[in-house]
Amino acid sequence: EQGSVGGVVVHEQTLRPLAGAQVMVEGTGRGTLTDAQGRFLIPGLTGTAATLRVQLIGFRTVTQSVRVGETSVRIVLAESAIALDEVVVTGTAGAQRVRSLGNAVGRVRAEQIVQVAPPPNVHGLLSAEVPGLQIQFSRGEIGAGANIRIRGGSSMALASEPLLYIDGVRVNNNFADQGGGITSVGVDGRTPPSRINDLNPEDIESIEVIKGPAAATLYGTEASNGVIQIITKKGRSGKPVFNLVVKQGANWLPHPEGLFQETYYRDSAGQIQSFNVLRNDRTVGFPVPADGSCPAPYEKVGDRCKGEVFSTGAPRGYAGSLSGGAETVRYYFSADWDRDEGPVDYNWQNKLTGRGNLSWTPSDQLTIDFGMGNVRSKLRSASPQQPISTAIIWSCPAPGCEVGSGKPNAIDGPFRGYIAYLPERYYSDIQGYQDVDRSTYSFTANHRPFAWFTHRLVLGGDFTDTRNSELYKRLAPGEVGSNLPAGRKEVQSSRTAYTSADYGATATVGLTRDLKAATSAGVQFYRRATEWVWARGDIFPVNQLETVTAGATRTAQEDFLENKTLGAYVQEQLVWNDRIFLTGALRGDDNSAFGKNFDFVVYPKLSASWVISEEPFLADAPLLNTLKLRGAWGKAGQQPDVFAALRTYQPQVGVGGEPALTPENLGNPDLKPEVGQELELGFDASLFGERVGLEFTYYDKKTTDAIVQVPALPSLGFPGSQFKNIGEVGNNGFEVGLRGSPLRRENVALDLNLTFSRNDNEVVDIGGGTPLVVSATIGQYHVPGYPLASIFVRRVVSADIVQQGDRNVAANVMCESGPVEPNSNFSRGGGPPVPCAEAPLIYRGTPLPTWNGGLSATLTLFRDLRLYGLVEAVGGNTWQNGDISGAHAFFNNTRAALERDDPIFLGYLSIGNPFGSLGVVKGDFAKLRRVSASYTLPLRWSQQFRAERATLTLSADNLWTIWVAQKEAFGVRILDPEARNSAPTSTQPGGLNAYNQEGWPQLRRFMATFRVTF
């Protein structure tokens, strides 16, 4: 008598169905593959019991005894600690197995993370997941971007962001589509959105990260910062699967009245008083205006307007996806609408995303994939001008703050103690928007006409239309609270188009029984074009007019930028017994931004991989399951800016109103790309029965021919500056990744994931001469022997206090000394005290973190409940906190500035540039970044609404700052250790600015997510 065995194969952590798993009945040769819903059915079995063997690449093999006739078996697969046979598509000529790679490739299992602990965006998805990759968050307002760096900063003049690919197609990874160096309008210029966050995490299956030139050689020019490849979800054969996701949550600032530092002033009796402007608005308020109504966010309470400036935002979203197909055609379609709201009512983003992926396999030799994604979003910024936090942090400047003083910023004055800006103006009279319409297309054809020959064609485009707008309405006479009371409207419309084509072919031949050779060659073309139009109108006649044409004066600009790259590569790989892999490659590029005397650049690569654990002499090694040794050396580049090599002029109005030109950039016909060269060595190992996985990498990277902007020689007769390849920057460090399952029982399992990386950055050479100024105001310079954009300011070590009139001042101020660097007044310090006028500038730190890491834990209870936590830590960096230095040195609204009894504090005030001295703080911190609890409902509950699976997840972000290296400076608290300016600028395209002012702290976030699968 024959029977059947059936059931479902699911992921151990997420309990999501696993498609494509091989299920075999031991001893019979009978088996099948799971479908898109993870289900399987094996008929024709005899006997009463059978043993199933289940295998899937990337997961541990499982054997399980079942009863013949049972069709509701659930088999749980756990991920392998090291998956050598998993296929990756990044950094090589075509897809290759992990075992063949001589360099480290980070892999983020996005689908799994999204189900267990949903992140707010792609930046959150990447954070602390890959050793050596750092997401340096900027500020907490909705829409703010972040810097992505892989293995430190490498350039003094170019951007630091890695290349971004979606399904093999190069796409836009800019900050806010800034055109021609114009600061993005509609959003605060220090924290524009990042285009990577246009993508919907729900559509991402996995993310692959290659970390430097040794891995990125075949991506050529622009790839020395690394590459991020996003792989979107595809359909699987089987009946249609519909997934529905509903989200609802909250965003808030914890106790704003206590979060922001109280300010101080001297009253008319000379006594120091504290003041909390937010508490004053809530408890005292201000008189109801003449029209009898209170402006938002205030409410009428008797004859006063009172209220809270901050509120709790209500983020929410709805998503659906449909996937399935047959053997020849598979599909995935999705749609997602999200609304994210910040801690003020005027900070929000609406985003609608859609994606469609089709796969057609007309024969065993040919597969064609087509993908299309679209994003439409509208963001209202919390900071179109200086944010409301500015008016809070620097509120009620002393003296003259007290009631009855008659000063404009007095507590009972028109500004109510705020500095320059009033909260109600942000609600109605100041508006900043960014509208985005973005479409991405990809076409991939993989053809294998012969067993020994494969080739691939990838075509794609990414088109982003952005409209930034900024409006300041005209205020009525006597109204205050806006920095442009006469009114202004700015609009910038830009279109950025990325188009690319990539063809590659590989021929594989067997040289001997044990040795194979794979020869690959390919050609790639890439074009980026940006066109933008900007217009501004100033001075409106009435409040109701809101267009550029309503301005009494109007100005406009237009520009078009284009860059093209044509590259080709060859690669040879030798494979011995599928254990030893030797790879050599050459990539050559020509780029339109190169100087006319420089035509072509070549990037070589060598790598080796040895799966030594499969050698006979290690076959029975105790405790060791897998060990792969790897090493790679290679080069990749970064091209100059579009017009850096050309002599350019700026139009201007000449004498008598005639059009004229003025010199702008001297140009350099010999300008060539920066070249990153890297050596990396490491290993991957799994231990203790695949319970522990360990990844270690050491790297040494140098950027030669680094582009430096220097003043043009007077003898050339052309004023301005010139870009030259005369610099060198070095980075070296190590990366560690550790995954483990220390506890695994039938009803309880614990999985741990640790990442840690260390990076030492150094400016090796600037071509001689004096150190390069990054920002003299805050003391940032490129100095050989020190990290990029290091901070140098004088350090006061002692001072005396003397009475001068009615206040204390510093005398006999002494500063730290030390041996100075060549051609400079910079020093590492350590010398005896000297008068500050004779003292050098002392190295105080680097804006680039020297280490970062994360520790996450997932506890699974009774198969259906998963508890998750992630701690992230960053350190070794220093920054200039403008909130603190401005309060101390300019607004004088701190206790230290009023009491004047700290000799060191007074010493800094006396030596000049207190903005660059009083706010120098350490940036080290550790945060509980994310926690979540996910529960899969019992099947009988799901079946009540005809669902196959339902999961409820509760998650929270940024609940607790566990540790900070420095909490305050001269009595003023640091609002948030990671709030900083992130936007690239014309002088700092790499986001190396160490200064931060008026930043929004990271928001606390709670989200409830309900997922249902039908």
Side-chain angles (χ1 to χ4, degrees):
E1 184 176 350
Q2 295 185 339
S4 300
V5 169
V8 62
V9 178
V10 298
H11 189 287
E12 182 185 53
Q13 282 191 329
T14 65
L15 297 184
R16 63 180 174 87
L18 294 175
Q22 184 184 59
V23 184
M24 300 293 296
V25 180
E26 291 188 341
T28 67
R30 302 185 65 84
T32 187
L33 297 176
T34 57
D35 63 14
Q37 294 175 305
R39 297 194 173 279
F40 67 93
L41 181 67
I42 305 175
L45 301 179
T46 59
T48 60
T51 299
L52 300 181
R53 182 179 179 85
V54 185
Q55 293 178 296
L56 182 62
I57 291 177
F59 292 82
R60 302 175 198 164
T61 299
V62 168
T63 57
Q64 185 168 322
S65 297
V66 297
R67 179 176 55 83
V68 173
E70 187 176 359
T71 57
S72 59
V73 177
R74 186 168 77 164
I75 299 175
V76 179
L77 296 188
E79 292 184 22
S80 300
I82 300 293
L84 293 183
D85 292 316
E86 195 168 23
V87 175
V88 296
V89 299
T90 299
T92 57
Q96 293 195 15
R97 292 176 299 163
V98 172
R99 66 169 55 230
S100 69
L101 301 178
N103 51 266
V105 174
R107 186 172 175 87
V108 179
R109 303 181 188 279
E111 186 175 13
Q112 174 182 326
I113 295 173
V114 167
Q115 293 197 32
V116 174
N121 49 40
V122 177
H123 279 151
L125 186 62
L126 291 170
S127 181
E129 286 294 328
V130 176
L133 181 145
Q134 184 187 35
I135 308 296
Q136 193 169 7
F137 291 99
S138 55
R139 303 198 278 190
E141 64 180 279
I142 301 301
N147 279 116
I148 302 179
R149 289 192 184 88
I150 299 175
R151 294 180 176 172
S154 299
S155 180
M156 290 178 268
L158 302 177
S160 64
E161 296 289 306
L163 300 186
L164 180 64
Y165 282 75
I166 299 178
D167 295 330
V169 172
R170 172 80 180 274
V171 300
N172 188 351
N173 193 27
N174 292 343
F175 274 87
D177 295 328
Q178 294 176 333
I182 291 181
T183 300
S184 176
V185 294
V187 289
D188 177 35
R190 289 179 289 270
T191 54
S194 300
R195 291 278 68 92
I196 192 173
N197 283 336
D198 290 340
L199 306 177
N200 179 12
E202 294 285 346
D203 286 333
I204 299 174
E205 180 179 294
S206 63
I207 301 175
E208 295 174 6
V209 180
I210 62 175
K211 304 178 185 179
T217 294
L218 295 190
Y219 288 86
T221 297
E222 289 193 275
S224 61
N225 291 327
V227 179
I228 294 177
Q229 175 90 256
I230 292 177
I231 296 98
T232 62
K233 294 178 180 178
K234 307 294 190 296
R236 302 180 187 274
S237 58
K239 69 177 185 179
V241 176
F242 178 68
N243 286 288
L244 176 65
V245 181
V246 179
K247 298 178 289 186
Q248 182 73 50
N251 288 323
W252 74 97
L253 290 176
H255 186 49
E257 289 184 16
L259 177 67
F260 293 95
Q261 177 81 30
E262 291 207 355
T263 56
Y264 298 86
Y265 68 96
R266 284 192 184 274
D267 61 20
S268 55
Q271 298 299 309
I272 296 177
Q273 304 289 347
S274 64
F275 177 64
N276 189 309
V277 69
L278 296 177
R279 186 181 302 123
N280 187 69
D281 258 8
R282 178 176 59 84
T283 59
V284 179
F286 54 95
V288 175
D291 62 6
S293 62
C294 293
Y298 302 101
E299 297 180 353
K300 187 175 181 180
V301 181
D303 61 348
R304 310 286 291 182
C305 295
K306 300 180 182 180
E308 305 272 1
V309 172
F310 296 98
S311 57
T312 298
R316 53 197 179 274
Y318 310 92
S321 67
L322 180 68
S323 62
E327 292 298 323
T328 56
V329 178
R330 298 175 299 280
Y331 57 85
Y332 171 85
F333 299 104
S334 72
D336 186 296
W337 180 85
D338 281 290
R339 178 175 174 85
D340 209 355
E341 297 179 352
V344 287
D345 288 350
Y346 52 86
N347 180 209
W348 48 262
Q349 183 178 37
N350 292 331
K351 183 161 66 173
L352 178 65
T353 62
R355 172 156 289 277
N357 288 335
L358 291 174
S359 297
W360 178 39
T361 308
S363 69
D364 292 340
Q365 291 79 35
L366 178 63
T367 300
I368 295 175
D369 295 295
F370 175 75
M372 179 177 67
N374 185 258
V375 179
R376 298 199 68 177
S377 68
K378 189 178 189 69
L379 166 69
R380 183 168 180 186
S381 169
S383 307
Q385 65 175 11
Q386 288 179 295
I388 190 59
S389 55
T390 302
I392 297 170
I393 293 168
W394 291 336
S395 63
C396 196
C401 181
E402 69 273 12
V403 173
S405 67
K407 300 292 181 66
N409 290 102
I411 297 171
D412 60 346
F415 286 96
R416 309 196 304 274
Y418 288 100
I419 291 295
Y421 316 122
L422 291 175
E424 56 265 32
R425 297 292 170 234
Y426 288 87
Y427 282 78
S428 58
D429 299 314
I430 304 170
Q431 302 171 14
Y433 293 97
Q434 182 179 91
D435 296 87
V436 175
D437 188 349
R438 179 178 183 180
S439 298
T440 305
Y441 305 92
S442 65
F443 171 87
T444 303
N446 285 285
H447 187 213
R448 189 183 184 94
F450 311 104
W452 55 271
F453 181 76
T454 63
H455 58 149
R456 180 192 65 182
L457 175 66
V458 181
L459 303 174
D462 182 36
F463 308 96
T464 307
D465 292 326
T466 306
R467 183 181 187 272
N468 294 322
S469 64
E470 193 171 277
L471 171 66
Y472 297 82
K473 291 187 177 183
R474 182 182 180 90
L475 302 185
E479 289 186 328
V480 297
S482 168
N483 64 346
L484 292 168
R488 170 181 288 179
K489 178 65 175 289
E490 288 187 74
V491 178
Q492 176 182 289
S493 294
S494 66
R495 178 173 177 79
T496 302
Y498 285 62
T499 53
S500 58
D502 181 352
Y503 173 79
T506 300
T508 304
V509 296
L511 301 179
T512 68
R513 186 183 68 174
D514 300 321
L515 180 64
K516 292 193 302 182
T519 304
S520 303
V523 61
Q524 298 169 338
F525 172 78
Y526 155 70
R527 175 182 180 268
R528 179 184 65 207
T530 300
E531 52 184 320
W532 54 264
V533 177
W534 170 84
R536 187 177 81 196
D538 288 276
I539 310 176
F540 293 167
V542 293
N543 176 270
Q544 288 75 17
L545 295 178
E546 300 180 359
T547 63
V548 170
T549 54
T553 60
R554 296 182 291 274
T555 54
Q557 295 183 33
E558 180 183 11
D559 206 351
F560 175 78
L561 307 172
E562 184 180 45
N563 181 262
K564 298 178 181 178
T565 298
L566 178 63
Y569 65 85
V570 293
Q571 176 179 287
E572 186 69 35
Q573 185 175 80
L574 299 176
V575 182
W576 178 268
N577 281 329
D578 205 34
R579 296 197 295 268
I580 299 177
F581 303 82
L582 301 176
T583 305
L586 283 176
R587 161 78 185 228
D589 272 344
D590 189 17
N591 183 272
S592 58
F594 296 167
K596 66 179 181 179
N597 295 339
F598 184 83
D599 294 327
F600 200 70
V601 61
V602 175
Y603 305 112
K605 170 184 176 178
L606 295 171
S607 70
S609 171
W610 184 13
V611 186
I612 192 172
S613 58
E614 295 181 1
E615 297 291 350
F617 59 82
L618 280 180
D620 298 322
L623 308 180
L624 177 66
N625 303 107
T626 305
L627 176 61
K628 185 186 85 168
L629 307 179
R630 50 180 166 79
W633 172 88
K635 294 183 178 182
Q638 186 162 205
Q639 73 209 28
D641 200 8
V642 176
F643 292 119
L646 301 177
R647 179 167 297 190
T648 57
Y649 300 82
Q650 279 188 325
Q652 68 173 23
V653 179
V655 179
E658 293 295 321
L661 293 174
T662 184
E664 182 182 33
N665 178 46
L666 175 60
N668 182 357
D670 299 318
L671 196 64
K672 53 189 176 181
E674 298 185 343
V675 177
Q677 172 180 295
E678 183 183 58
L679 171 69
E680 70 167 67
L681 302 169
F683 66 85
D684 304 303
S686 62
L687 309 164
F688 307 110
E690 292 282 348
R691 287 182 177 269
V692 176
L694 176 62
E695 169 194 331
F696 176 84
T697 303
Y698 166 81
Y699 63 89
D700 188 356
K701 180 172 66 171
K702 284 185 171 57
T703 299
T704 57
D705 295 324
I707 296 173
V708 176
Q709 187 175 15
V710 298
L713 295 175
S715 60
L716 297 175
F718 194 100
S721 60
Q722 185 180 37
F723 291 95
K724 292 185 177 182
N725 298 98
I726 58 176
E728 183 177 333
V729 179
N731 287 275
N732 67 81
F734 65 89
E735 301 160 352
V736 178
L738 181 64
R739 299 178 63 188
S741 303
L743 178 62
R744 194 160 299 282
R745 299 286 186 271
E746 182 178 356
N747 291 321
V748 60
L750 176 64
D751 295 287
L752 302 175
N753 185 37
L754 170 69
T755 63
F756 181 83
S757 60
R758 168 82 190 194
N759 177 265
D760 291 314
N761 174 265
E762 180 185 358
V763 176
V764 179
D765 190 9
I766 58 172
T770 59
L772 301 175
V773 178
V774 178
S775 173
T777 303
I778 61 174
Q780 277 191 273
Y781 303 86
H782 295 312
V783 183
Y786 295 82
L788 284 166
S790 291
I791 301 172
F792 290 87
V793 294
R794 290 183 174 86
R795 189 198 300 269
V796 175
V797 295
S798 66
D800 298 328
I801 296 179
V802 298
Q803 188 81 14
Q804 188 179 79
D806 59 351
R807 67 175 191 162
N808 294 336
V809 297
N812 302 319
V813 183
M814 305 293 284
C815 288
E816 184 178 353
S817 69
V820 298
E821 304 297 333
N823 302 316
S824 76
N825 190 36
F826 303 130
S827 173
R828 290 191 182 273
V834 298
C836 289
E838 305 170 11
L841 301 177
I842 302 298
Y843 172 69
R844 302 295 294 274
T846 169
L848 298 176
T850 60
W851 62 268
N852 70 288
L855 174 63
S856 63
T858 303
L859 178 64
T860 304
L861 301 173
F862 301 99
R863 302 284 189 187
D864 294 326
L865 176 62
R866 291 168 303 285
L867 306 177
Y868 173 88
L870 169 64
V871 173
E872 183 176 2
V874 176
N877 61 313
T878 303
W879 53 297
Q880 291 274 14
N881 190 317
D883 297 340
I884 293 175
S885 57
H888 283 315
F890 187 79
F891 292 100
N892 299 307
N893 63 349
T894 68
R895 183 175 289 277
L898 296 171
E899 290 179 340
R900 301 180 67 87
D901 59 2
D902 185 329
I904 302 297
F905 178 87
L906 295 178
Y908 279 119
L909 293 182
S910 71
I911 65 173
N913 191 23
F915 260 88
S917 304
L918 293 173
V920 178
V921 297
K922 296 179 180 179
D924 309 46
F925 71 89
K927 280 191 176 184
L928 181 60
R929 183 67 73 188
R930 187 170 300 123
V931 294
S932 73
S934 182
Y935 179 66
T936 300
L937 275 62
L939 184 60
R940 64 182 184 275
W941 294 5
S942 304
Q943 290 176 340
Q944 291 182 1
F945 42 90
R946 299 184 179 180
E948 294 195 354
R949 184 168 176 263
T951 303
L952 176 64
T953 302
L954 306 178
S955 59
D957 288 20
N958 302 313
L959 287 184
W960 180 28
T961 299
I962 302 171
W963 164 77
V964 292
Q966 185 172 345
K967 296 182 179 180
E968 63 176 37
F970 295 104
V972 176
R973 293 197 312 271
I974 297 172
L975 190 62
D976 186 341
E978 65 176 331
R980 64 194 65 245
N981 301 340
S982 65
T985 66
S986 58
T987 58
Q988 277 306 311
L992 296 172
N993 190 357
Y995 185 74
N996 183 69
Q997 177 180 306
E998 311 136 351
W1000 288 90
Q1002 294 295 316
L1003 303 181
R1004 293 189 179 180
R1005 182 181 180 90
F1006 169 81
M1007 186 66 71
T1009 305
F1010 187 58
R1011 299 177 182 275
V1012 188
T1013 300
F1014 297 92

